[in-house]
Amino acid sequence: TLSHSFFSSCNLSLFFFLSFFFSSSFSFFSDCYDSPVVDGAFGEVLTTCEKIRWTVEHGEEVLQTEHRPVGMIMGHKVARVQYQPLGVLAAIIPWNYPFHNMFGQIISAIFAGNSIVIKVSEYACWSSLFYCDIVKSALGQLGHSPDIVQIITGFGDSGAALVNSGVDKVTFIGSPEVGKLDEGSSRHI
């Protein structure tokens, strides 16, 4: 399937790309040790690499059908939880930690067999579009459609439009105030 072959093939490629990118910039980071730049770069990148590693190692097991006990009275029945792709997911993510927040949503969505549309903060548009290009390039090079990952930018009205666009499920990361606005406009959160 897409999710399994994508992560099997791209896990090490992404890790090596990120390692090269940040190791080639090491002199820059060492000059500003103990700064927000170092914290953001390594906090986001290492956390994201760990999510990729965990997903590759445990993802298939977590998504396996689970059989549940039904009790003596319903002994003639069978109960199970079966995970199926939902379709098109939406994620609304904040300005802080744009790399981790964006890649975290993409990793989970693709591995579970879904496509995803991410509404990024208006304060993180450039970096988010850059990161999306990395994902689309990896998908294309591995023979998958780059269109399964989409980014939209804009203010709150863009997020509201996404929430009400007919997507199958919405994930929201952000402040409670903004979450309440989005919750009021959708049954998918």
Side-chain angles (χ1 to χ4, degrees):
T1 65
L2 165 66
S3 59
H4 303 250
S5 65
F6 174 74
F7 282 99
S8 298
S9 304
C10 136
N11 179 32
L12 289 176
S13 300
L14 179 61
F15 178 77
F16 287 126
F17 167 78
L18 295 173
S19 299
F20 171 76
F21 175 77
F22 285 104
S23 66
S24 66
S25 305
F26 182 73
S27 62
F28 169 75
F29 289 129
S30 63
D31 292 341
C32 53
Y33 178 75
D34 198 29
S35 74
V37 174
V38 173
D39 180 49
F42 287 102
E44 286 198 84
V45 172
L46 293 178
T47 303
T48 303
C49 288
E50 173 57 20
K51 178 159 187 164
I52 292 170
R53 186 205 62 76
W54 188 94
T55 302
V56 168
E57 187 174 325
H58 301 287
E60 288 186 46
E61 176 186 336
V62 170
L63 293 175
Q64 292 295 315
T65 299
E66 298 176 23
H67 294 277
R68 302 283 171 90
V70 293
M72 188 173 6
I73 295 176
M74 299 298 288
H76 64 290
K77 299 283 185 177
V78 175
R80 69 177 179 263
V81 176
Q82 188 170 0
Y83 297 95
Q84 297 178 340
L86 295 171
V88 179
L89 307 183
I92 299 175
I93 61 172
W95 62 271
N96 57 336
Y97 299 107
F99 183 85
H100 173 68
N101 285 333
M102 190 172 122
F103 270 81
Q105 301 307 310
I106 292 169
I107 292 164
S108 297
I110 291 175
F111 198 87
N114 300 293
S115 59
I116 187 164
V117 179
I118 300 175
K119 191 284 184 193
V120 298
S121 168
E122 60 275 14
Y123 299 113
C125 294
W126 183 88
S127 59
S128 298
L129 292 169
F130 176 75
Y131 302 148
C132 187
D133 285 345
I134 294 171
V135 172
K136 288 179 174 255
S137 176
L139 286 166
Q141 289 179 17
L142 294 169
H144 302 297
S145 173
D147 295 333
I148 63 172
V149 176
Q150 297 293 323
I151 300 292
I152 62 170
T153 60
F155 296 101
D157 56 341
S158 300
L162 176 61
V163 165
N164 292 309
S165 69
V167 294
D168 297 299
K169 192 58 75 174
V170 176
T171 298
F172 173 78
I173 302 171
S175 69
E177 294 80 20
V178 176
K180 287 178 185 173
L181 294 174
D182 287 335
E183 181 182 21
S185 62
S186 176
R187 62 179 175 78
H188 299 287
I189 295 182

